[in-house]
Amino acid sequence: MTVGRRSWNLDTAGWPAGEIELRAYGNGHYLGRFMLTPGPGPVPPLQARLVAVTLADQTGSALDTAGPVRNG
């Protein structure tokens, strides 16, 4: 994870303060984001965090293949 411009180790430092932005890209283009607000308790295991990243990646791919939004 990156906080500001530096690397952040969740396993040793825990969650950073505030919201976490998980960006969704499709074909190299930024398409949106998921805003995550950590609750109290331990950091989810690495496998659960990788699932979240995979879902954001699949969302970006789906949005990219959907094409542009048509008005009207």
Side-chain angles (χ1 to χ4, degrees):
M1 166 179 280
T2 303
V3 176
R5 294 181 182 251
R6 62 179 208 174
S7 182
W8 186 279
N9 187 329
L10 289 173
D11 295 319
T12 58
W15 289 116
E19 292 183 319
I20 298 168
E21 178 183 34
L22 178 55
R23 295 182 178 188
Y25 289 89
N27 201 23
H29 300 280
Y30 173 76
L31 297 171
R33 63 187 178 169
F34 294 93
M35 296 304 295
L36 310 174
T37 305
V43 172
L46 176 60
Q47 187 169 1
R49 298 188 317 253
L50 290 173
V51 168
V53 171
T54 299
L55 291 173
D57 185 49
Q58 290 178 349
T59 300
S61 294
L63 290 172
D64 183 56
T65 59
V69 176
R70 294 183 183 172
N71 293 328

